Coordinates of all heavy atoms in Angstrom, one line a residue:
M1 N 0.9 -1.2 0.0 CA 0.0 0.0 0.0 C 0.9 1.2 0.0 O 1.8 1.3 0.8 CB -0.9 0.0 1.2 CG -1.7 1.2 1.4 SD -2.9 1.2 2.8 CE -1.9 1.3 4.2
L2 N 0.6 2.2 -0.9 CA 1.3 3.4 -0.9 C 0.5 4.5 -0.2 O -0.7 4.4 0.0 CB 1.4 3.9 -2.4 CG 2.1 2.9 -3.3 CD1 2.0 3.4 -4.8 CD2 3.6 2.8 -2.9
P3 N 1.2 5.6 0.3 CA 0.5 6.6 1.0 C -0.7 7.2 0.3 O -1.8 7.4 0.9 CB 1.6 7.7 1.2 CG 2.8 6.9 1.2 CD 2.6 5.8 0.2
V4 N -0.6 7.4 -1.0 CA -1.8 7.9 -1.8 C -2.9 6.9 -1.8 O -4.1 7.3 -1.7 CB -1.3 8.3 -3.2 CG1 -1.0 7.1 -4.1 CG2 -2.4 9.1 -3.9
Q5 N -2.6 5.6 -1.8 CA -3.7 4.6 -1.8 C -4.4 4.6 -0.4 O -5.6 4.4 -0.3 CB -3.1 3.2 -2.0 CG -2.8 3.0 -3.5 CD -2.1 1.6 -3.6 OE1 -1.1 1.3 -3.0 NE2 -2.7 0.8 -4.4
C6 N -3.6 4.9 0.6 CA -4.2 5.0 2.0 C -5.2 6.1 2.1 O -6.3 5.9 2.5 CB -3.0 5.2 3.0 SG -3.6 5.1 4.7
R7 N -4.8 7.3 1.5 CA -5.7 8.4 1.5 C -7.0 8.2 0.7 O -8.1 8.5 1.1 CB -5.0 9.7 1.0 CG -3.9 10.2 2.0 CD -3.4 11.6 1.6 NE -2.7 11.5 0.3 CZ -1.4 11.2 0.0 NH1 -0.7 10.9 1.1 NH2 -1.0 11.2 -1.2
M8 N -6.8 7.6 -0.5 CA -7.9 7.3 -1.3 C -8.8 6.3 -0.7 O -10.1 6.4 -0.7 CB -7.5 6.7 -2.7 CG -6.8 7.8 -3.6 SD -6.5 7.2 -5.3 CE -5.2 6.0 -5.0
A9 N -8.2 5.2 0.0 CA -9.0 4.2 0.6 C -9.8 4.8 1.8 O -11.0 4.5 2.0 CB -8.1 3.1 1.1
R10 N -9.2 5.6 2.6 CA -10.0 6.3 3.7 C -11.1 7.1 3.2 O -12.2 7.0 3.7 CB -9.1 7.2 4.5 CG -8.1 6.5 5.4 CD -7.5 7.4 6.5 NE -6.8 8.6 5.9 CZ -7.3 9.8 5.9 NH1 -8.5 10.0 6.3 NH2 -6.6 10.8 5.4
A11 N -10.9 7.8 2.1 CA -12.0 8.6 1.5 C -13.1 7.7 1.0 O -14.3 8.0 1.2 CB -11.4 9.5 0.4
A12 N -12.7 6.6 0.4 CA -13.8 5.7 -0.2 C -14.7 5.1 0.9 O -15.9 4.9 0.7 CB -13.1 4.6 -0.9
V13 N -14.1 4.9 2.1 CA -15.0 4.3 3.1 C -15.5 5.3 4.1 O -16.1 5.0 5.1 CB -14.3 3.1 3.9 CG1 -14.1 1.9 3.0 CG2 -13.0 3.6 4.5
G14 N -15.1 6.6 3.9 CA -15.5 7.7 4.7 C -14.9 7.7 6.1 O -15.5 8.2 7.1
W15 N -13.6 7.3 6.1 CA -12.9 7.3 7.4 C -11.9 8.5 7.5 O -11.3 8.9 6.5 CB -12.0 6.0 7.5 CG -12.7 4.8 7.9 CD1 -14.0 4.6 8.1 CD2 -12.1 3.5 8.2 NE1 -14.3 3.3 8.4 CE2 -13.1 2.6 8.5 CE3 -10.8 3.1 8.1 CZ2 -12.9 1.3 8.8 CZ3 -10.6 1.7 8.4 CH2 -11.6 0.9 8.8
G16 N -11.8 9.0 8.7 CA -10.8 10.0 9.0 C -9.5 9.3 9.4 O -9.5 8.0 9.6
V17 N -8.5 10.0 9.7 CA -7.2 9.4 10.2 C -7.5 8.7 11.5 O -6.9 7.6 11.7 CB -6.2 10.6 10.4 CG1 -4.9 10.0 11.1 CG2 -5.8 11.2 9.0
R18 N -8.3 9.3 12.4 CA -8.6 8.6 13.7 C -9.3 7.3 13.5 O -9.0 6.3 14.2 CB -9.5 9.5 14.5 CG -8.7 10.7 15.0 CD -9.6 11.7 15.7 NE -8.7 12.9 15.9 CZ -9.0 13.8 16.8 NH1 -10.0 13.7 17.6 NH2 -8.1 14.8 17.0
D19 N -10.2 7.2 12.5 CA -10.9 5.9 12.3 C -9.9 4.8 11.9 O -10.0 3.7 12.4 CB -12.0 6.1 11.2 CG -13.0 7.1 11.6 OD1 -13.6 7.0 12.7 OD2 -13.3 8.0 10.8
L20 N -9.1 5.1 10.9 CA -8.1 4.2 10.5 C -7.1 3.8 11.6 O -6.8 2.6 11.8 CB -7.3 4.6 9.3 CG -6.2 3.7 8.8 CD1 -6.7 2.3 8.5 CD2 -5.5 4.3 7.6
A21 N -6.7 4.8 12.4 CA -5.8 4.5 13.5 C -6.4 3.5 14.5 O -5.8 2.5 14.9 CB -5.4 5.8 14.2
A22 N -7.7 3.8 14.8 CA -8.4 2.9 15.7 C -8.6 1.5 15.2 O -8.3 0.5 15.9 CB -9.7 3.5 16.1
A23 N -8.9 1.4 13.9 CA -9.2 0.1 13.3 C -7.9 -0.7 13.2 O -7.9 -2.0 13.3 CB -9.8 0.2 11.9
A24 N -6.8 0.0 12.9 CA -5.5 -0.7 12.7 C -4.7 -0.9 14.0 O -3.6 -1.5 14.0 CB -4.7 0.0 11.7
K25 N -5.2 -0.2 15.1 CA -4.6 -0.3 16.4 C -3.2 0.4 16.3 O -2.2 -0.2 16.8 CB -4.5 -1.7 17.0 CG -5.9 -2.2 17.3 CD -5.8 -3.6 17.9 CE -7.1 -4.1 18.4 NZ -8.1 -4.4 17.3
V26 N -3.1 1.5 15.7 CA -1.9 2.3 15.6 C -2.3 3.7 16.0 O -3.4 4.1 16.2 CB -1.3 2.3 14.2 CG1 -0.9 0.9 13.7 CG2 -2.2 3.0 13.2
S27 N -1.3 4.6 16.2 CA -1.5 5.9 16.6 C -2.0 6.8 15.5 O -1.7 6.5 14.3 CB -0.3 6.6 17.3 OG 0.7 6.9 16.3
I28 N -2.7 7.9 15.8 CA -3.1 8.8 14.8 C -1.9 9.4 14.1 O -1.9 9.5 12.8 CB -3.9 10.0 15.4 CG1 -5.2 9.4 16.0 CG2 -4.2 11.1 14.4 CD1 -6.0 10.3 16.9
D29 N -0.8 9.7 14.8 CA 0.4 10.2 14.3 C 1.0 9.2 13.3 O 1.6 9.6 12.3 CB 1.4 10.6 15.4 CG 2.6 11.2 14.8 OD1 2.5 12.3 14.1 OD2 3.7 10.7 15.1
T30 N 0.9 8.0 13.6 CA 1.5 6.9 12.7 C 0.8 7.0 11.3 O 1.5 7.0 10.3 CB 1.3 5.5 13.3 OG1 2.1 5.5 14.5 CG2 1.8 4.5 12.3
V31 N -0.5 7.1 11.3 CA -1.3 7.2 10.0 C -0.8 8.5 9.3 O -0.6 8.5 8.1 CB -2.8 7.2 10.2 CG1 -3.5 7.4 8.9 CG2 -3.2 5.9 10.9
A32 N -0.8 9.6 10.0 CA -0.4 10.9 9.4 C 1.0 10.8 8.8 O 1.2 11.3 7.7 CB -0.6 12.0 10.4
R33 N 1.9 10.2 9.6 CA 3.3 10.1 9.1 C 3.4 9.3 7.8 O 4.1 9.6 6.9 CB 4.2 9.5 10.1 CG 4.5 10.5 11.3 CD 5.6 10.0 12.3 NE 5.2 8.7 12.8 CZ 5.9 7.6 12.6 NH1 7.0 7.6 11.9 NH2 5.6 6.5 13.2
F34 N 2.6 8.2 7.8 CA 2.6 7.3 6.6 C 2.1 8.1 5.4 O 2.7 8.1 4.3 CB 1.8 6.1 6.8 CG 1.7 5.2 5.6 CD1 2.9 4.5 5.1 CD2 0.6 5.0 4.9 CE1 2.8 3.7 4.0 CE2 0.5 4.2 3.8 CZ 1.6 3.6 3.3
E35 N 1.0 8.8 5.6 CA 0.4 9.5 4.5 C 1.2 10.7 4.0 O 1.1 11.1 2.9 CB -1.1 9.9 4.8 CG -2.0 8.8 4.9 CD -3.4 9.1 5.2 OE1 -3.7 10.3 5.4 OE2 -4.3 8.2 5.1
R36 N 2.1 11.2 4.8 CA 3.1 12.2 4.4 C 4.2 11.6 3.6 O 5.0 12.4 3.1 CB 3.6 12.9 5.7 CG 2.8 14.0 6.2 CD 3.6 14.9 7.2 NE 4.4 14.1 8.2 CZ 4.0 13.9 9.4 NH1 2.9 14.3 9.9 NH2 4.8 13.2 10.2
G37 N 4.4 10.3 3.7 CA 5.4 9.7 3.0 C 6.6 9.2 3.8 O 7.6 8.7 3.3
D38 N 6.5 9.3 5.1 CA 7.5 8.7 6.0 C 7.5 7.2 6.0 O 6.5 6.6 5.7 CB 7.2 9.1 7.5 CG 7.4 10.6 7.7 OD1 7.8 11.4 6.8 OD2 7.1 11.1 8.9
E39 N 8.7 6.6 6.1 CA 8.8 5.2 6.1 C 8.3 4.6 7.5 O 8.7 5.2 8.5 CB 10.2 4.7 5.9 CG 10.5 4.6 4.4 CD 11.8 3.9 4.1 OE1 12.0 2.8 4.7 OE2 12.6 4.5 3.4
L40 N 7.6 3.6 7.4 CA 7.1 2.9 8.7 C 7.5 1.4 8.6 O 7.9 0.9 7.5 CB 5.6 2.9 8.8 CG 4.9 4.3 8.8 CD1 3.4 4.2 9.0 CD2 5.5 5.2 10.0
K41 N 7.4 0.7 9.7 CA 7.7 -0.7 9.7 C 6.7 -1.4 8.8 O 5.5 -1.0 8.7 CB 7.6 -1.3 11.1 CG 8.7 -0.8 12.0 CD 8.6 -1.3 13.4 CE 9.7 -0.8 14.2 NZ 9.6 -1.3 15.6
V42 N 7.1 -2.4 8.1 CA 6.2 -3.2 7.2 C 5.0 -3.7 7.9 O 3.9 -3.6 7.4 CB 7.0 -4.3 6.5 CG1 6.1 -5.2 5.7 CG2 8.1 -3.8 5.6
R43 N 5.2 -4.2 9.1 CA 4.0 -4.7 9.8 C 3.0 -3.6 10.2 O 1.8 -3.9 10.3 CB 4.4 -5.5 11.0 CG 5.0 -4.7 12.2 CD 5.4 -5.6 13.4 NE 5.9 -4.8 14.4 CZ 7.2 -4.8 14.8 NH1 8.1 -5.5 14.1 NH2 7.6 -4.0 15.8
T44 N 3.4 -2.4 10.4 CA 2.5 -1.3 10.6 C 1.7 -1.0 9.4 O 0.5 -0.8 9.5 CB 3.3 -0.1 11.1 OG1 4.1 -0.4 12.3 CG2 2.4 1.1 11.5
V45 N 2.3 -0.9 8.3 CA 1.6 -0.6 7.0 C 0.7 -1.8 6.7 O -0.5 -1.5 6.3 CB 2.6 -0.4 5.9 CG1 1.9 -0.2 4.5 CG2 3.5 0.8 6.1
E46 N 1.1 -3.0 7.0 CA 0.2 -4.2 6.7 C -1.0 -4.1 7.6 O -2.1 -4.5 7.2 CB 1.0 -5.5 6.9 CG 2.0 -5.7 5.8 CD 2.9 -6.9 6.1 OE1 2.9 -7.4 7.3 OE2 3.6 -7.4 5.2
A47 N -0.9 -3.7 8.9 CA -2.0 -3.6 9.8 C -3.0 -2.5 9.3 O -4.2 -2.8 9.3 CB -1.5 -3.2 11.2
M48 N -2.5 -1.4 8.8 CA -3.4 -0.4 8.2 C -4.1 -0.9 6.9 O -5.3 -0.7 6.8 CB -2.7 0.9 7.9 CG -2.2 1.6 9.2 SD -1.5 3.2 8.9 CE -0.1 2.9 7.9
Q49 N -3.4 -1.6 6.1 CA -3.9 -2.2 4.9 C -5.0 -3.2 5.2 O -6.1 -3.2 4.6 CB -2.9 -2.8 4.0 CG -3.4 -3.3 2.7 CD -2.4 -3.8 1.7 OE1 -1.2 -3.4 1.8 NE2 -2.8 -4.6 0.7
R50 N -4.7 -4.1 6.2 CA -5.7 -5.1 6.6 C -7.0 -4.5 7.1 O -8.1 -4.9 6.8 CB -5.2 -6.1 7.6 CG -4.2 -7.1 7.1 CD -3.9 -8.2 8.1 NE -3.4 -7.6 9.4 CZ -2.1 -7.4 9.6 NH1 -1.2 -7.7 8.7 NH2 -1.7 -6.9 10.7
A51 N -6.9 -3.4 7.9 CA -8.0 -2.7 8.4 C -8.9 -2.1 7.3 O -10.1 -2.2 7.3 CB -7.6 -1.6 9.4
L52 N -8.2 -1.5 6.3 CA -8.9 -1.0 5.1 C -9.6 -2.1 4.3 O -10.7 -1.9 3.8 CB -8.0 -0.1 4.3 CG -7.6 1.2 5.0 CD1 -6.4 1.8 4.3 CD2 -8.8 2.2 5.0
E53 N -8.9 -3.2 4.1 CA -9.5 -4.3 3.4 C -10.7 -4.9 4.1 O -11.7 -5.2 3.5 CB -8.4 -5.4 3.2 CG -7.4 -5.0 2.1 CD -6.2 -5.9 2.0 OE1 -6.0 -6.7 3.0 OE2 -5.5 -5.9 1.0
A54 N -10.6 -4.9 5.4 CA -11.8 -5.4 6.2 C -13.0 -4.5 6.1 O -14.1 -4.9 6.2 CB -11.4 -5.6 7.7
A55 N -12.7 -3.2 5.8 CA -13.8 -2.2 5.6 C -14.3 -2.2 4.2 O -15.2 -1.5 3.8 CB -13.2 -0.8 5.9
G56 N -13.7 -3.1 3.3 CA -14.3 -3.2 1.9 C -13.4 -2.7 0.8 O -13.9 -2.6 -0.3
I57 N -12.2 -2.4 1.1 CA -11.3 -1.8 0.1 C -10.5 -2.9 -0.6 O -10.0 -3.8 0.0 CB -10.3 -0.8 0.7 CG1 -11.1 0.5 1.2 CG2 -9.2 -0.4 -0.2 CD1 -11.7 1.3 0.1
E58 N -10.3 -2.8 -1.9 CA -9.4 -3.6 -2.7 C -8.4 -2.7 -3.2 O -8.6 -1.7 -3.8 CB -10.2 -4.3 -3.8 CG -11.2 -5.3 -3.4 CD -11.9 -6.0 -4.5 OE1 -11.7 -5.6 -5.7 OE2 -12.6 -7.0 -4.3
F59 N -7.1 -3.1 -3.1 CA -6.0 -2.4 -3.6 C -5.6 -2.8 -5.0 O -5.6 -4.0 -5.3 CB -4.8 -2.5 -2.6 CG -5.0 -1.8 -1.3 CD1 -5.7 -2.4 -0.3 CD2 -4.7 -0.4 -1.2 CE1 -5.9 -1.7 0.9 CE2 -4.9 0.2 0.0 CZ -5.5 -0.4 1.0
I60 N -5.4 -1.9 -5.9 CA -5.1 -2.1 -7.3 C -3.6 -1.8 -7.5 O -3.2 -0.6 -7.2 CB -6.0 -1.3 -8.2 CG1 -7.5 -1.6 -7.9 CG2 -5.7 -1.6 -9.7 CD1 -8.4 -0.6 -8.5
N61 N -2.9 -2.7 -8.0 CA -1.5 -2.5 -8.3 C -1.3 -1.5 -9.5 O -2.2 -1.4 -10.3 CB -0.7 -3.8 -8.7 CG -0.7 -4.7 -7.5 OD1 -0.6 -4.3 -6.4 ND2 -0.7 -6.0 -7.8
G62 N -0.2 -0.9 -9.6 CA 0.0 0.1 -10.7 C 0.4 -0.6 -11.9 O 1.6 -0.6 -12.4
N63 N -0.5 -1.3 -12.6 CA -0.2 -2.1 -13.7 C -0.5 -1.3 -15.0 O -1.3 -1.6 -15.8 CB -1.1 -3.4 -13.7 CG -2.6 -3.1 -13.6 OD1 -3.0 -2.0 -13.5 ND2 -3.3 -4.2 -13.6
G64 N 0.3 -0.3 -15.2 CA 0.1 0.6 -16.4 C -0.8 1.8 -16.2 O -0.6 2.8 -16.8
G65 N -1.7 1.7 -15.3 CA -2.6 2.8 -15.1 C -2.4 3.5 -13.8 O -3.1 4.4 -13.4
G66 N -1.4 3.1 -13.0 CA -1.1 3.7 -11.7 C -1.8 2.9 -10.6 O -2.9 2.3 -10.8
P67 N -1.3 3.0 -9.4 CA -1.9 2.3 -8.3 C -3.2 3.0 -7.9 O -3.4 4.2 -8.1 CB -0.9 2.5 -7.2 CG -0.1 3.7 -7.5 CD -0.1 3.7 -9.0
G68 N -4.1 2.2 -7.3 CA -5.4 2.8 -6.9 C -6.1 1.9 -5.9 O -5.5 1.0 -5.4
V69 N -7.4 2.2 -5.7 CA -8.2 1.4 -4.7 C -9.6 1.4 -5.3 O -10.0 2.2 -6.2 CB -8.3 2.0 -3.3 CG1 -6.9 2.1 -2.7 CG2 -8.9 3.4 -3.3
R70 N -10.4 0.4 -4.9 CA -11.8 0.4 -5.2 C -12.5 -0.3 -4.1 O -11.9 -1.0 -3.3 CB -12.0 -0.3 -6.5 CG -11.7 -1.8 -6.5 CD -12.1 -2.5 -7.8 NE -11.4 -3.8 -7.8 CZ -10.8 -4.3 -8.8 NH1 -10.7 -3.6 -10.0 NH2 -10.2 -5.5 -8.7
L71 N -13.8 0.0 -4.0 CA -14.7 -0.7 -3.0 C -15.0 -2.1 -3.6 O -15.3 -2.2 -4.8 CB -16.0 0.1 -2.8 CG -15.8 1.3 -2.0 CD1 -17.2 2.1 -2.0 CD2 -15.4 1.0 -0.6
A72 N -14.9 -3.0 -2.7 CA -15.3 -4.4 -3.1 C -16.7 -4.5 -3.4 O -17.5 -3.6 -3.0 CB -14.9 -5.4 -2.0
A73 N -17.1 -5.5 -4.2 CA -18.6 -5.7 -4.4 C -19.3 -5.8 -3.1 O -18.8 -6.3 -2.1 CB -18.7 -7.0 -5.3
T74 N -20.6 -5.3 -3.1 CA -21.4 -5.3 -1.9 C -21.4 -6.7 -1.3 O -21.3 -6.8 0.0 CB -22.8 -4.8 -2.2 OG1 -22.7 -3.5 -2.8 CG2 -23.6 -4.7 -0.9
Q75 N -21.7 -7.7 -2.0 CA -21.8 -9.0 -1.5 C -20.5 -9.4 -0.8 O -20.5 -10.0 0.2 CB -22.2 -10.0 -2.6 CG -22.4 -11.4 -2.1 CD -22.9 -12.3 -3.2 OE1 -22.6 -12.1 -4.4 NE2 -23.5 -13.4 -2.9
K76 N -19.4 -9.1 -1.5 CA -18.1 -9.5 -0.9 C -17.9 -8.8 0.4 O -17.4 -9.4 1.4 CB -17.0 -9.0 -1.9 CG -15.8 -9.9 -1.8 CD -14.8 -9.4 -2.9 CE -14.0 -10.5 -3.5 NZ -13.1 -10.0 -4.5
R77 N -18.2 -7.5 0.5 CA -18.1 -6.7 1.8 C -18.9 -7.3 2.9 O -18.5 -7.4 4.0 CB -18.4 -5.3 1.6 CG -17.3 -4.5 0.9 CD -17.5 -3.1 0.9 NE -18.8 -2.8 0.3 CZ -19.3 -1.7 0.0 NH1 -18.6 -0.6 0.1 NH2 -20.5 -1.5 -0.6
Q78 N -20.2 -7.7 2.6 CA -21.0 -8.2 3.6 C -20.5 -9.6 4.1 O -20.5 -9.8 5.3 CB -22.4 -8.5 3.0 CG -23.2 -7.2 2.8 CD -24.5 -7.4 2.1 OE1 -24.8 -8.5 1.6 NE2 -25.3 -6.3 2.0
T79 N -19.9 -10.3 3.2 CA -19.3 -11.6 3.7 C -18.1 -11.4 4.6 O -18.0 -12.0 5.6 CB -18.7 -12.4 2.4 OG1 -19.8 -12.6 1.5 CG2 -18.1 -13.7 2.8
R80 N -17.3 -10.4 4.4 CA -16.2 -10.1 5.2 C -16.6 -9.6 6.6 O -15.9 -9.8 7.6 CB -15.3 -9.0 4.6 CG -14.5 -9.5 3.4 CD -13.7 -8.4 2.9 NE -13.0 -8.9 1.7 CZ -12.1 -8.2 1.0 NH1 -11.7 -7.0 1.5 NH2 -11.5 -8.7 0.0
K81 N -17.7 -8.9 6.7 CA -18.2 -8.4 8.0 C -18.7 -9.4 8.9 O -18.8 -9.2 10.1 CB -19.2 -7.3 7.7 CG -18.7 -6.0 7.1 CD -19.8 -5.0 7.0 CE -19.2 -3.7 6.4 NZ -20.3 -2.7 6.2
K82 N -19.1 -10.6 8.4 CA -19.7 -11.6 9.2 C -18.8 -12.2 10.1 O -17.6 -12.3 10.0 CB -20.4 -12.6 8.3 CG -21.6 -12.1 7.7 CD -22.3 -13.2 6.9 CE -23.6 -12.6 6.2 NZ -24.2 -13.6 5.4

């Protein structure tokens, strides 16, 4: 996950920095530092990515069109929440 993907993912699910921090069990400052482009431990970034994926985000690799995010299909998201 790239910092720009993190910002896009939060916007897609309507989360603020605090929401992601709480869901990933990291500090608000950690999320802000990552989104500014600071390097974090891999496991910290993975925790934030897992939290966003659990909220219904799918990460798209930069395969020619640049990296991005999208919301998972509604049915898929409902399955994850159960």
Side-chain angles (χ1 to χ4, degrees):
M1 174 174 71
L2 299 173
V4 68
Q5 288 175 300
C6 187
R7 289 189 300 273
M8 289 188 291
R10 284 193 307 98
V13 294
W15 282 5
V17 172
R18 291 175 187 200
D19 300 309
L20 176 55
K25 295 182 173 67
V26 299
S27 73
I28 295 166
D29 185 56
T30 296
V31 175
R33 286 187 306 115
F34 178 69
E35 290 186 354
R36 275 196 312 264
D38 293 355
E39 274 194 50
L40 302 180
K41 292 180 181 178
V42 172
R43 69 177 181 255
T44 303
V45 177
E46 288 172 347
M48 292 189 296
Q49 183 171 340
R50 281 191 307 271
L52 289 164
E53 288 171 339
I57 292 295
E58 292 180 353
F59 289 87
I60 303 166
N61 294 327
N63 54 1
V69 299
R70 67 176 164 223
L71 287 172
T74 305
Q75 185 176 21
K76 209 178 214 182
R77 282 190 305 195
Q78 289 174 350
T79 302
R80 288 182 184 187
K81 289 181 180 180
K82 289 183 181 178

